């Protein structure tokens, strides 16, 4: 009987022991040697410097309960008595009632409020309501929380200071930080305050925000907001850990605000940018098509500031008259107001203070923002009325007339919604696939027409693993990226989607995402690291190369940066077997003997990172020796590698 027993695995090369003879033998797990011939001496087409960017929308609690720093869930009191927010918690002898009052609010945008009627209360027996945050409230030691609330009181309530806001530990009930508002008036007013914590032994998210009233009377409140320190200290800003993860992807642009979120389920629920700017109290918020409410605290200006903070250019998607539920606006006079909205939006982004909308922006942000790309709609191939050609053309003509330098992107190239009347500058192609499908499709753009519109791969992802993708997905992604890079003379911009997911059981609407987080912690998926590796080693010119003798699971891309004298070689081995590879740098005068290698690898395609085990699959950097004009490497099974080779 000639059975074999696996006894070890080193660098993906399995070593087996014959049970009969006891002799070690190398199994055929290592594929036949292959050759990669790189034309290192020749400069090819330019790599698009904006190839890698971010795509984002309000999905999976990406902003509310995610990137947007607000700690209070439902700060506008839409869902009082929802199990996760605004539960009455009268202390001791306190007595009172709460209700949503639709007859009074601080603004036209927020015409309702929370009415708290307190029959009996004092400082030790307060009538309170607890808010559980976004499935937890992270509270850190020696930290200042910046807060505000709109409030007013009746004659009884305004007789003295009545309202307090506190951060409370769930288990112990300990007050971690607290602030008492001054006496209210009978008119709506906004109160700003801070809460500072002392030392905290263990940082957790098992805390709550307590809004309490400490004297009898009626109090109305609206828009209670509590922010932790934010990225770059921006007021109304973003979560620090998530911004740092995004910065690690070296993104060149941000596509916003969607995605389906741009369109809305109905026209009324589209991303109506004019309702997302100015003071928060003037933003009514709206329903996201992903089935939850957005306060629009992350509004147009906040998207632009996010771009500014990460040095990304905006890829601005404007609403184009089609919504997810199927409603559309016919091209012609009916569409004109929407076209005007888009022109106004572009003016808000780029105009100086002498323009109407530029002046509006300048009140909050004096400098204009750069803008090159504007996308007209999102996935308009779903429009059964087939009106996209007409709609796109109307937007195109109006925008080009006023802003001829802008590059306009068509969101559709299919199903009777192909734009024929004018020529879009770019076409947005979307790919959601399994890894196997991406492996087969890596040559998708190799022979594509170079004379027509450029390509924006505006959404793409290997959909394997949830809530964030696994290493098998990272292999699919990396293989696909080699194809995009080799064709980056045609593909000007590309962005993975979706980017963010709150991994709480309440948080996810889409099953395969790049970055996961809960109220306290965050992590990148293996796909995240694959992207960070590619975007961090992009190069400036495409280098021709030819692969021979490898199976159909080895993928490559070669670029170089002549000014820096660096060749970037990316190799993806999606097979479990190691691959010996002879690499020839033809045309190179000299090759540095040591090279930097960054490798992401795992023992199985199911390997992944999670909120509790965030660093199982991460890139490892090393120095490789023996690099020469011709050298041989073993590419481990299930690995993604980026080499930085010094070449003159
Ligand atoms: O990325 C998730 C969704 O997929 C986007 O909102 C939409 O554009 C696409 O169908």
């Amino acid at each position: 009987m000639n059975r074999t027993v696996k006894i070890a695995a080193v660098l993906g090369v399995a070593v087996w022991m014959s049970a009969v003879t006891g002799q070690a033998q190398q199994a055929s797990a290592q594929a036949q040697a292959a050759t990669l011939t790189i034309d290192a001496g020749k400069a090819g087409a330019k790599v698009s410097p904006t190839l890698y960017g971010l795509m984002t929308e309000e999905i999976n609690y990406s902003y509310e309960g995610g990137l947007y720093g607000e700690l209070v869930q439902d700060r506008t009191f839409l869902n009082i008595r929802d199990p996760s927010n605004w539960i009455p918690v009268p202390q001791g002898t306190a007595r009172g009632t709460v209700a949503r009052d639709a007859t009074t609010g601080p603004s036209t945008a927020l015409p309702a409020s929370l009415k708290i009627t307190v029959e009996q209360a004092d400082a030790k027996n307060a009538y309170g309501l607890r808010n559980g945050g976004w499935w937890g409230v992270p509270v850190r030691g020696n930290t200042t929380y910046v807060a505000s609330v709109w409030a007013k009181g009746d004659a009884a309530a305004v007789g003295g200071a009545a309202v307090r806001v506190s951060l409370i530990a769930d288990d112990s009930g300990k007050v971690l930080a607290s602030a008492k508002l001054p006496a209210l008036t009978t008119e709506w007013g906004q109160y700003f305050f801070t809460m500072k914590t002392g030392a905290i032994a263990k940082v957790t998210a098992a805390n709550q925000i307590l809004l309490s009233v400490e004297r009898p009377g009626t109090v109305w409140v609206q828009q209670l907001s509590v922010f932790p320190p934010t990225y770059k200290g921006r007021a109304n800003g973003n979560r620090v850990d998530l911004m740092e993860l995004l910065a690690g992807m070296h993104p060149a642009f941000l596509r916003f605000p969607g995605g389906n979120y741009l369109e809305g389920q109905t026209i009324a629920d589209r991303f109506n940018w004019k309702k997302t700017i100015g003071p928060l109290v003037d933003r009514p918020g709206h329903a996201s098509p992903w089935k939850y409410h957005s306060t629009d605290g992350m509004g147009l200006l906040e998207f632009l500031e996010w771009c500014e903070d990460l040095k990304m250019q905006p890829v601005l998607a404007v609403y184009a008259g089609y919504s997810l539920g199927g409603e559309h606006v016919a091209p012609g006079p009916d569409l004109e107001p929407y076209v005007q909205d888009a022109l106004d939006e572009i003016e808000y982004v780029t105009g100086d203070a002498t323009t109407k909308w530029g002046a509006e922006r300048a009140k909050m942000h004096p400098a204009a923002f750069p803008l090159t790309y504007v996308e007209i709609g999102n996935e308009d191939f779903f429009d059964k009325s087939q009106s996209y050609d007409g709609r796109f053309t109307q937007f195109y003509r109006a925008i080009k007339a006023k802003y001829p330098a802008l590059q306009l992107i068509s969101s559709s190239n299919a199903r009777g919604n192909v734009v024929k009347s004018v020529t879009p500058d770019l076409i947005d192609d979307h790919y959601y696939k399994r890894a196997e499908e991406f492996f087969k499709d890596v040559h998708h753009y190799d022979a594509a027409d170079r004379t027509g519109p450029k390509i924006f791969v505006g959404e793409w992802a290997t959909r394997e693993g949830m809530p964030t993708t696994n290493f098998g997905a990272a292999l699919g992604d990396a293989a696909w990226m080699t194809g995009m890079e080799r064709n980056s003379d045609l593909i000007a911009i590309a962005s993975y989607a979706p980017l963010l997911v709150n991994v709480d059981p309440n948080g996810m609407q889409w099953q395969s995402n790049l970055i996961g987080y809960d109220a306290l912690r965050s992590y990148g998926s293996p796909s995240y690291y694959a992207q960070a590796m590619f975007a961090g080693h992009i190069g400036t010119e495409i280098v021709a190369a030819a692969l021979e003798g490898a199976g159909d699971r080895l993928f490559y891309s070669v670029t170089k940066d002549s000014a820096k004298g660096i060749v970037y070689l990316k190799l993806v081995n999606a097979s479990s077997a190691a691959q010996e590879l002879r690499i020839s740098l033809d045309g190179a005068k000299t090759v540095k003997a040591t090279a930097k290698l960054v490798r992401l690898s795992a023992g199985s395609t199911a390997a992944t990172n999670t909120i509790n085990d965030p660093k199982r699959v991460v890139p490892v950097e090393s120095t490789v020796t023996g690099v020469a004009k011709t050298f041989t490497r073993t590419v481990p099974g299930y690995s993604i590698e980026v080499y930085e080779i010094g070449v003159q």
Side-chain angles (χ1 to χ4, degrees):
M1 200 185 185
N2 194 10
R3 284 181 299 124
T4 55
V5 183
K6 186 174 179 184
I7 58 167
V10 180
L11 278 179
V13 181
V15 177
W16 302 74
M17 180 77 79
S18 160
V20 174
T21 63
Q23 282 176 322
Q25 61 186 52
Q26 188 162 312
S28 60
Q30 177 153 333
Q32 253 190 332
T35 305
L36 181 68
T37 309
I38 299 171
D39 212 348
K42 271 203 206 129
K46 292 257 174 286
V47 174
S48 169
T50 51
L51 182 61
Y52 296 112
L54 308 178
M55 186 273 167
T56 174
E57 65 176 316
E58 184 59 282
I59 182 175
N60 301 320
Y61 294 86
S62 287
Y63 312 143
E64 314 257 335
L67 184 67
Y68 180 56
E70 178 63 81
L71 294 180
V72 180
Q73 182 169 175
D74 190 17
R75 71 183 178 193
T76 54
F77 305 106
L78 289 173
N79 300 310
I80 51 170
R81 291 176 192 280
D82 179 293
S84 57
N85 38 14
W86 305 128
I87 313 278
V89 281
Q91 290 156 355
T93 57
R95 280 200 323 270
T97 55
V98 285
R100 186 173 157 81
D101 186 345
T103 66
T104 181
S107 64
T108 314
L110 299 177
S113 55
L114 183 73
K115 180 179 179 184
I116 310 172
T117 308
V118 178
E119 291 157 37
Q120 185 175 310
D122 57 45
K124 291 214 169 96
N125 299 278
Y127 185 82
L129 289 129
R130 66 169 283 265
N131 183 281
W134 299 99
W135 312 296
V137 177
V139 179
R140 296 184 163 81
N142 301 313
T143 300
T144 300
Y145 292 79
V146 176
S148 63
V149 65
W150 285 87
K152 69 173 187 177
D154 69 359
V158 302
V163 176
R164 179 183 284 283
V165 178
S166 313
L167 302 175
I168 309 280
D170 282 347
D171 288 350
S172 62
K174 191 175 166 198
V175 177
L176 303 172
S178 184
K180 192 163 185 182
L181 271 58
L184 306 181
T185 73
T186 53
E187 300 298 321
W188 281 105
Q190 190 174 20
Y191 298 83
F192 295 92
F193 54 100
T194 57
M195 292 179 282
K196 189 162 182 343
T197 56
I200 288 180
K202 188 167 181 250
V203 177
T204 75
N207 307 295
Q208 54 191 268
I209 296 159
L210 186 71
L211 167 67
S212 49
V213 182
E214 298 185 348
R215 56 179 289 132
T218 299
V219 165
W220 289 264
V221 287
Q222 181 52 284
Q223 207 172 60
L224 171 61
S225 171
V226 179
F227 270 77
T230 57
Y231 191 71
K232 298 202 171 177
R234 280 217 189 258
N236 196 43
N238 293 337
R239 215 172 118 164
V240 176
D241 57 337
L242 292 178
M243 285 294 272
E244 284 172 350
L245 276 168
L246 296 177
M249 290 175 69
H250 314 282
F253 69 88
L254 176 71
R255 174 182 176 224
F256 67 86
N260 292 353
Y261 185 59
L262 169 73
E263 301 163 76
Q265 194 59 31
T266 62
I267 295 175
D269 283 334
R270 70 190 184 281
F271 184 84
N272 191 349
W273 72 271
K274 285 178 180 163
K275 293 186 173 176
T276 74
I277 57 170
L280 295 181
V281 73
D282 294 331
R283 304 185 194 184
H286 74 289
S288 146
W290 299 103
K291 310 266 183 282
Y292 57 95
H293 180 80
S294 168
T295 62
D296 289 326
M298 176 70 87
L300 178 57
L301 182 64
E302 287 74 20
F303 281 112
L304 295 165
E305 289 178 336
W306 172 7
C307 289
E308 186 171 76
D309 284 349
L310 296 189
K311 299 191 172 52
M312 306 180 287
Q313 57 171 293
V315 173
L316 179 69
V318 297
Y319 180 73
Y322 170 77
S323 290
L324 278 173
E327 278 182 283
H328 83 281
V329 183
D334 290 351
L335 194 63
E336 263 319 291
Y338 298 91
V339 174
Q340 189 57 50
D341 265 353
L343 291 171
D344 293 346
E345 188 170 7
I346 294 166
E347 187 174 283
Y348 181 92
V349 177
T350 63
D352 63 30
T354 63
T355 62
K356 177 177 173 201
W357 289 103
E360 203 55 44
R361 184 218 60 246
K363 285 184 202 161
M364 314 281 282
H365 190 284
F369 294 91
L371 185 67
T372 302
Y373 296 109
V374 174
E375 179 156 13
I376 316 292
N378 175 62
E379 293 194 336
D380 282 86
F381 45 80
F382 282 120
D383 177 7
K384 290 205 174 80
S385 75
Q386 303 194 342
S387 62
Y388 189 57
D389 183 26
R391 290 187 288 110
F392 182 91
T393 303
Q394 199 168 329
F395 276 85
Y396 180 97
R397 291 197 171 126
I399 295 174
K400 283 280 183 183
K402 195 165 175 201
Y403 302 100
L406 287 180
Q407 298 281 292
L408 303 185
I409 306 168
S410 160
S411 80
S412 171
N413 207 19
R415 296 189 207 158
N417 286 298
V418 178
V419 175
K420 294 188 193 122
S421 308
V422 289
T423 308
D425 298 303
L426 293 95
I427 290 172
D428 182 356
D429 287 345
H430 292 181
Y431 300 93
Y432 290 107
K433 290 180 184 274
R434 309 284 299 177
E436 281 299 327
E437 294 172 296
F438 269 135
F439 298 153
K440 292 195 179 97
D441 205 24
V442 289
H443 298 288
H444 188 98
Y445 290 104
D446 288 1
D449 177 21
R450 261 51 182 178
T451 60
K454 296 261 188 198
I455 299 295
F456 174 25
V457 184
E459 294 179 29
W460 66 271
T462 306
R463 300 201 62 193
E464 292 179 24
M466 65 175 271
T468 49
T469 50
N470 58 27
F471 187 72
L475 288 169
D477 293 341
W480 177 246
M481 283 190 284
T482 63
M484 289 205 292
E485 254 183 37
R486 282 186 285 102
N487 288 285
S488 62
D489 58 319
L490 176 65
I491 303 173
I493 45 180
S495 44
Y496 184 102
L499 183 65
L500 299 167
V501 62
N502 188 316
V503 300
D504 185 273
N506 296 292
M508 183 184 75
Q509 284 99 41
W510 186 275
Q511 290 187 349
S512 47
N513 306 285
L514 202 64
I515 293 173
Y517 48 87
D518 60 14
L520 187 67
R521 303 162 294 172
S522 54
Y523 69 98
S525 61
S527 303
Y528 163 86
Y529 288 110
Q531 281 207 52
M533 284 165 61
F534 272 59
H537 301 88
I538 185 168
T540 55
E541 299 136 58
I542 302 163
V543 176
L547 180 64
E548 275 175 67
D552 58 2
R553 294 298 183 102
L554 189 72
F555 307 95
Y556 71 92
S557 148
V558 190
T559 61
K560 72 174 179 178
D561 185 328
S562 298
K564 290 187 183 154
I566 293 173
V567 164
Y568 299 101
L569 166 61
K570 285 140 187 152
L571 297 169
V572 181
N573 187 356
S575 156
S576 58
Q579 174 70 61
E580 195 172 310
L581 186 66
R582 192 164 175 269
I583 299 163
S584 291
L585 290 154
D586 288 3
K589 288 196 197 94
T590 59
V591 175
K592 201 170 161 210
T594 56
K596 180 175 115 179
L597 169 63
V598 186
R599 177 185 291 153
L600 187 70
S601 61
S604 102
T605 53
T608 200
N609 297 332
T610 65
I611 196 80
N612 292 319
D613 196 354
K615 295 270 166 96
R616 273 178 73 187
V617 185
V618 293
V620 176
E621 198 176 310
S622 62
T623 301
V624 170
T625 55
V627 179
K629 282 186 194 169
T630 298
F631 64 108
T632 299
R633 296 286 305 162
T634 299
V635 190
Y638 293 149
S639 67
I640 299 165
E641 296 189 323
V642 178
Y643 286 87
E644 212 178 279
I645 306 170
V647 173
Q648 290 301 326

